[in-house]
């Protein structure tokens, strides 16, 4: 009986949190801008000629631990896509995981990364940030890319590796046919149109080597067509380089610093099992970036069935 009472109490608390998040999300969405606000080029033929710095953000979790992660902000020069700044921080996530409300669990750590950059090296603040996650391709049209953009005021683009099922959009046989017939070469894309007629984003073939698309959606202060062109301009592999570098570096940070950082965390989480898990991951993943590149290429070579 006591256990049931405890579970009911926890559910009530979570419901109250979600209701608070819903209200906050509604207010934040009122500030969302879904069209181009900044001209980064001198002409339509050179749309990004005045774009110099582009950011990428990601949050990576160690296997077996959903409460600790590495929050990462990477800034790259554009168009050569060389890393000029990185911020990697171990974080403790105390908010519950609730589907469709991921931003409320993670976005504060990404905002903190941007804030530290503003204070330490304002000359390297990116003109736009690519976010590992969705923007408007979200049940309420306000994913983590939108959330981060509104809170920071920086233009953002959502780039997802998997398709979020929204408004009747699904990874079904119809979607597979579209991928096969419409995404022939690098840069090809097609709109993700829902049952309501709303276009939520676009599926993009990022490279000729990559058969599986990525899913691009508007975050903040940018239109969909510009978001797709910019994302494609950042793709040397399937995943655009700003996000790819954030993923590689955050995972490597966890491999090197997870156990040490965990010991100093206020949650006092037991480290025995995690140490064993992390050791297995190191053995399996080898030297980090080269393995990830090989793994990424393997994924790229798999056709969408």
């Amino acid at each position: 009986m006591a256990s049931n009472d405890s579970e009911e109490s926890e559910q009530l608390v979570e419901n109250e949190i979600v209701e608070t998040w819903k209200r906050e999300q509604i207010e934040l969405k009122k500030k969302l801008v879904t069209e181009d606000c900044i001209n980064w080029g001198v002409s339509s033929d050179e749309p990004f000629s005045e774009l110099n710095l582009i950011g990428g953000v990601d949050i990576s979790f160690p296997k077996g631990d959903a409460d600790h992660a590495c929050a990462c902000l990477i800034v790259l020069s554009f168009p050569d896509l060389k890393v000029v700044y990185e911020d990697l921080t171990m974080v403790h996530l105390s908010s519950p995981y609730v589907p469709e409300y991921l931003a409320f669990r993670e976005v504060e750590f990404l905002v903190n990364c941007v804030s530290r950059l503003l204070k330490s090296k304002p000359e390297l603040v990116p003109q736009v940030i690519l976010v590992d996650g969705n923007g408007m391709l979200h049940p309420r049209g306000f994913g983590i890319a939108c959330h981060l953009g509104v809170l920071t005021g920086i233009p953002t683009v959502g780039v997802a590796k998997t398709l979020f099922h929204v408004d009747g959009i699904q990874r079904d046989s119809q979607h597979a046919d579209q991928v096969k017939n419409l995404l022939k070469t690098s840069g090809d894309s097609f709109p993700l149109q829902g049952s309501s007629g709303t276009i939520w984003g676009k599926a993009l073939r990022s490279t000729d080597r990559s058969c599986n698309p990525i899913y691009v959606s508007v975050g903040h202060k940018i239109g969909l067509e510009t978001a797709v062109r910019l994302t494609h301009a950042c793709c040397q592999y399937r995943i655009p380089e700003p996000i790819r570098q954030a993923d590689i570096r955050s995972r490597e940070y966890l491999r090197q610093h997870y156990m040490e950082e965990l010991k100093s965390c206020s949650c006092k989480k037991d480290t025995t099992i995690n140490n064993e898990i992390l050791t297995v991951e190191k053995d399996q993943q080898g030297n980090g970036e080269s393995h990830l590149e090989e793994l990424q290429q393997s994924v790229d070579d798999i056709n969408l069935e």
Side-chain angles (χ1 to χ4, degrees):
M1 181 66 70
S3 176
N4 290 338
D5 290 344
S6 176
E7 290 177 1
E8 290 179 3
S9 177
E10 289 178 2
Q11 187 62 51
L12 286 173
V13 170
E14 183 172 305
N15 290 342
E16 291 176 0
I17 292 173
V18 171
E19 288 303 313
T20 299
W21 288 349
K22 283 181 180 179
R23 292 191 294 269
E24 290 182 14
Q25 193 176 70
I26 289 171
E27 292 304 310
L28 287 170
K29 191 176 179 181
K30 293 177 181 178
K31 302 175 182 179
L32 185 65
V33 179
T34 59
E35 58 187 25
D36 294 330
C37 290
I38 300 173
N39 183 8
W40 288 312
V42 295
S43 68
S44 58
D45 293 331
E46 299 181 28
F48 307 119
S49 59
E50 296 182 7
L51 181 62
N52 302 309
L53 295 170
I54 185 165
V57 293
D58 189 23
I59 291 186
S60 292
F61 290 82
K63 184 178 179 180
D65 185 352
D67 298 325
H68 299 87
C70 177
C72 179
L73 166 66
I74 297 292
V75 181
L76 288 79
S77 57
F78 187 89
D80 55 339
L81 301 175
K82 303 300 183 184
V83 175
V84 298
Y85 174 88
E86 66 177 18
D87 181 310
L88 299 120
T89 308
M90 182 84 163
V91 298
H92 178 203
L93 296 86
S94 56
S95 298
Y97 168 74
V98 181
E100 302 178 7
Y101 292 91
L102 179 66
F104 286 94
R105 190 167 194 254
E106 298 184 357
V107 76
E108 68 172 297
F109 304 111
L110 301 178
V111 171
N112 289 342
C113 288
V114 175
S115 297
R116 285 192 292 271
L117 175 56
L118 280 165
K119 292 178 181 178
S120 63
K121 294 187 176 181
E123 71 278 8
L124 293 180
V125 172
Q127 295 157 279
V128 59
I129 298 175
L130 302 191
V131 181
D132 182 20
N134 291 295
M136 293 188 67
L137 182 56
H138 181 271
R140 284 168 301 285
F142 199 80
I144 190 169
C146 300
H147 206 132
L148 180 64
V150 169
L151 290 179
T152 62
I154 298 174
T156 53
V157 178
V159 183
K161 304 177 188 72
T162 57
L163 181 63
F164 204 150
H165 294 183
V166 175
D167 189 20
I169 299 171
Q170 298 185 44
R171 192 176 183 273
D172 53 16
S173 58
Q174 179 182 351
H175 181 73
D177 287 342
Q178 288 178 305
V179 170
K180 180 179 179 180
N181 297 322
L182 301 178
L183 304 185
K184 298 289 189 179
T185 61
S186 175
D188 287 349
S189 65
F190 65 83
L192 299 169
Q193 185 169 354
S195 302
S196 65
T198 300
I199 295 176
W200 297 87
K202 278 194 166 187
L204 168 68
R205 180 163 182 164
S206 48
T207 70
D208 285 327
R209 299 186 307 275
S210 172
C211 297
N212 289 333
I214 54 176
Y215 300 97
V216 181
S217 56
V218 169
H220 183 51
K221 290 185 175 180
I222 193 169
L224 181 57
E225 294 304 320
T226 302
V228 171
R229 292 184 70 178
L230 177 60
T231 300
H232 182 243
C234 293
C235 290
Q236 299 173 337
Y237 299 88
R238 177 182 177 231
I239 306 304
E241 199 64 12
I243 292 175
R244 180 174 169 273
Q245 285 297 326
D247 178 70
I248 288 172
R249 291 164 188 256
S250 58
R251 290 176 186 274
E252 183 61 27
Y253 182 90
L254 288 174
R255 282 192 289 273
Q256 292 187 16
H257 303 289
Y258 172 66
M259 293 309 305
E260 179 183 351
E261 295 273 5
L262 194 61
K263 291 176 182 177
S264 61
C265 183
S266 59
C267 70
K268 303 301 181 184
K269 186 178 180 71
D270 177 48
T271 62
T272 306
I273 296 178
N274 287 282
N275 190 29
E276 294 173 356
I277 290 173
L278 202 63
T279 301
V280 171
E281 284 195 322
K282 284 182 179 178
D283 290 340
Q284 291 176 340
Q285 296 189 12
N287 63 356
E289 182 168 0
S290 61
H291 174 83
L292 285 169
E293 288 180 349
E294 293 171 4
L295 180 61
Q296 183 64 68
Q297 190 58 58
S298 298
V299 172
D300 287 347
D301 291 337
I302 298 173
N303 290 325
L304 182 64
E305 298 178 352

